[in-house]
Amino acid sequence: MNERYWGEPHSLFSLSFAVWFIAEILFNTTLGDVLPVNLDRISSMMDCIVFLLLLIQIAFFQVYSHRELLSILLVTLPIAASTVLSGSVRIMGTWMFIVAFKYTDLDGIIAMAYRILRMMIPAIVFLCLIGLLPDAFNYRFGVLRHAMGFNHPNYFGMKIFQFSACYVYLHWHSLKKGDGVRAVLVLAFLYFIPHSVTSILCTAVLFLLTIAGRFLQAKKRALLQVFETALMLSAVLCIAGTVLLTIYGMNFPLGQALDAWMSYRFSHAKQIYAVYKISLFGQSISSGYLLDSGYMDLILRSGLLVYLLFFAGYIGNMSYHKNNPALYLLLCTFGFYGIMEYGVYLIARNLFLLSFADILYSRRKKQKENIFSGKIRGAGTKEKRE
């Protein structure tokens, strides 16, 4: 095995990711309220630096087969067209990270993100509690919501959900009953402090799926295939159903009930859809229109073609990683997250999108037990790169 290709601790990608991930958290705090600096300008400069580092990684530190080059080109062209027409670099940024992820191991990056979150979330909360960072609190339906040093309660809740997802991924094979108590405490904290509905629901879904997966693995292997299929269908329903429900389902009682349960995200998205419709390659949407739903934001802003690429890629990625139960469950959970938040297609929110690189570069971790079938898939561990 060529160690240069498999996640050196100080590789350019790892360094770029660490700097970017730390900066992304800092720039979403209330630090700008206490320091005489323009955080937005610094954030833009940081994005440009990371973009250049990723370009260097892609152009000079990676070797590609003809098939890989063709795949990258076929995906890059519609994303580039969408970026130009929409004026949004979000999806292009995600694609750049995936392409640059050829020689880095997902486990190592998730572990790095986990350590950063474990260090920075308590530190920011502590700085808020001692008065060095303001609390950007607000009220929702009369309920006080605290951001605890972050710029919004929803962002605070999302980072706790992200931390929980990283924890489940890294500790999948060592989860114990005590983790159930921690899960209840996390949910209680999310409810009483940031009171972020999306984070509460997604964290609850994550914990319930984890409990079900581990229980079926140990006790009910005959039902594992059913569980696997149900997760896949759930992801399909989330990605496709959100768009269909928004466009066609608001006239039905069930659609209206779901809309109310989701804080009227569907009806709000339909209002924006009535103005802009769906284009093939994307379009610019006025900053006055805020789309919370990730899938409606993707199809309206980035276009039908990019949406279909994401849809096919996401479901294909889940199928490709059936032998990685933690990743499979987390991809399904983030599929649910995308109903309510646009961050489903952003690496800053959904770190597990980096696993798309496994399909792009035809790499597969082998000799891992598939909990859904109880079989061993593949042979060997990490492949040697030519």
Side-chain angles (χ1 to χ4, degrees):
M1 181 178 71
N2 190 334
E3 293 292 345
R4 181 176 71 87
Y5 286 156
W6 283 97
E8 289 182 339
H10 305 292
S11 69
L12 182 59
F13 182 92
S14 298
L15 175 63
S16 303
F17 176 85
V19 171
W20 166 78
F21 195 64
I22 291 171
E24 192 272 337
I25 296 173
L26 287 176
F27 295 148
N28 281 281
T29 66
T30 53
L31 192 62
D33 296 337
V34 296
L35 294 180
V37 295
N38 188 330
L39 284 187
D40 290 338
R41 180 175 297 178
I42 297 175
S43 176
S44 297
M45 292 174 57
M46 182 63 65
D47 288 342
C48 290
I49 292 172
V50 172
F51 180 81
L52 289 174
L53 289 174
L54 291 177
L55 274 180
I56 293 171
Q57 172 78 28
I58 292 168
F60 300 107
F61 289 88
Q62 297 184 173
V63 180
Y64 308 94
S65 67
H66 290 97
R67 185 201 65 80
E68 291 167 352
L69 285 173
L70 180 61
S71 299
I72 292 171
L73 179 64
L74 290 176
V75 176
T76 300
L77 287 176
I79 290 179
S82 169
T83 300
V84 172
L85 292 173
S86 68
S88 172
V89 299
R90 291 173 179 172
I91 198 71
M92 179 59 80
T94 296
W95 180 236
M96 290 278 292
F97 269 103
I98 292 171
V99 174
F101 199 62
K102 182 171 186 178
Y103 300 135
T104 311
D105 185 44
L106 182 64
D107 291 9
I109 289 297
I110 299 300
M112 180 189 293
Y114 174 77
R115 289 192 293 268
I116 292 171
L117 290 168
R118 187 174 61 180
M119 173 184 67
M120 294 194 68
I121 293 176
I124 292 167
V125 170
F126 176 74
L127 291 175
C128 178
L129 290 174
I130 64 176
L132 293 181
L133 286 178
D135 180 13
F137 65 87
N138 61 35
Y139 288 89
R140 183 175 182 272
F141 301 128
V143 178
L144 177 61
R145 309 168 67 210
H146 295 280
M148 302 304 294
F150 293 91
N151 62 3
H152 197 282
N154 286 347
Y155 183 86
F156 181 32
M158 182 277 296
K159 281 301 173 185
I160 295 175
F161 165 57
Q162 187 179 60
F163 176 81
S164 301
C166 291
Y167 182 89
V168 169
Y169 181 83
L170 295 171
H171 298 86
W172 176 261
H173 294 290
S174 59
L175 291 173
K176 300 177 181 178
K177 291 181 180 179
D179 292 307
V181 177
R182 296 187 185 95
V184 173
L185 294 175
V186 168
L187 286 171
F189 183 86
L190 286 171
Y191 181 82
F192 289 107
I193 306 301
H195 198 75
S196 171
V197 175
T198 299
S199 299
I200 293 170
L201 289 175
C202 291
T203 305
V205 168
L206 170 62
F207 291 151
L208 289 174
L209 290 181
T210 300
I211 292 170
R214 291 302 304 273
F215 173 77
L216 292 175
Q217 177 185 12
K219 306 292 185 181
K220 303 288 184 180
R221 282 187 173 270
L223 297 176
L224 287 173
Q225 189 65 42
V226 176
F227 185 58
E228 171 197 334
T229 303
L231 291 180
M232 181 67 75
L233 291 177
S234 297
V236 171
L237 186 62
C238 288
I239 301 173
T242 299
V243 174
L244 294 175
L245 181 62
T246 300
I247 298 174
Y248 302 110
M250 289 298 96
N251 297 326
F252 300 97
L254 178 59
Q256 294 169 0
L258 288 172
D259 185 39
W261 187 54
M262 295 289 183
S263 302
Y264 300 99
R265 281 171 165 82
F266 298 132
S267 55
H268 179 65
K270 188 171 183 178
Q271 293 174 0
I272 301 174
Y273 165 76
V275 175
Y276 287 96
K277 302 301 181 182
I278 296 174
S279 63
L280 184 61
F281 291 105
Q283 60 196 318
S284 177
I285 295 180
S286 170
S287 58
Y289 292 102
L290 298 177
L291 276 162
D292 286 325
S293 173
Y295 306 122
M296 286 304 298
D297 181 85
L298 189 62
I299 198 170
L300 290 176
R301 194 184 305 276
S302 299
L304 178 62
L305 188 54
V306 170
Y307 167 80
L308 291 176
L309 281 173
F310 179 85
F311 187 1
Y314 205 90
I315 300 304
N317 192 37
M318 285 188 65
S319 179
Y320 194 79
H321 289 100
K322 286 180 182 179
N323 64 327
N324 187 334
L327 180 56
Y328 192 87
L329 288 172
L330 285 162
L331 288 170
C332 179
T333 304
F334 274 93
F336 177 71
Y337 174 79
I339 298 175
M340 297 168 283
E341 296 291 340
Y342 70 85
V344 66
Y345 61 83
L346 299 180
I347 299 295
R349 308 289 181 93
N350 186 359
L351 296 168
F352 303 97
L353 291 175
L354 291 171
S355 62
F356 276 49
D358 292 342
I359 298 179
L360 178 62
Y361 298 119
S362 300
R363 66 188 192 188
R364 189 190 295 272
K365 288 189 173 182
K366 300 178 179 179
Q367 288 296 341
K368 279 199 170 185
E369 183 181 0
N370 178 7
I371 66 160
F372 301 121
S373 67
K375 299 177 181 178
I376 300 293
R377 299 197 176 195
T381 53
K382 295 175 181 175
E383 299 175 80
K384 181 175 181 178
R385 292 331 216 189
E386 306 241 345

